[in-house]
Amino acid sequence: LVGRAIAEPDEKLRAIIRDIFADVFRRYTVAFMRALPDLTPDEVIWRMHFMIGAMVFTVAMPRVQQERPGMPKADPEQMLQRLIDFFAAGMRSPMGETTQRDG
């Protein structure tokens, strides 16, 4: 659904989907800000943005595997665990010098 929302050319439908997810996104943002007090609110939102992108891309994985020779096959449980490990590391990572200056 998120992938469809991103790709949908109909602005009315995109607005409806955005409204549906707005509260969920807000709740996750608040929860991550509480869990990661060393990150700025902007940094939390950027990292969530990157997580969502990784999730959408992973959902498209069967198609990606067909289009990219050599892409390793993985069962859904393996992909889920890889995503969890990747997200946990990314969210816990300290802010770098660039993000501290910009944020």
Side-chain angles (χ1 to χ4, degrees), residues 67-87:
E67 295 171 3
R68 294 176 77 190
M71 186 72 187
K73 303 280 186 228
D75 70 59
E77 290 297 319
Q78 288 175 325
M79 285 197 296
L80 178 60
Q81 189 57 55
R82 284 185 169 107
L83 276 174
I84 291 168
D85 294 345
F86 183 76
F87 295 160

Side-chain angles (χ1 to χ4, degrees), residues 33 36-41 43-44 47 90-95:
M33 286 180 3
L36 303 162
D38 293 341
L39 299 181
T40 65
E43 187 65 17
V44 168
R47 291 179 188 202
M91 292 304 282
R92 289 185 186 127
S93 177
M95 289 179 57

Side-chain angles (χ1 to χ4, degrees), residues 7-8 14 18 23 29 50 75-76 89 92:
E8 181 58 51
R14 285 175 46 176
R18 242 189 338 262
D23 187 52
T29 302
F50 297 138
D75 70 59
R92 289 185 186 127

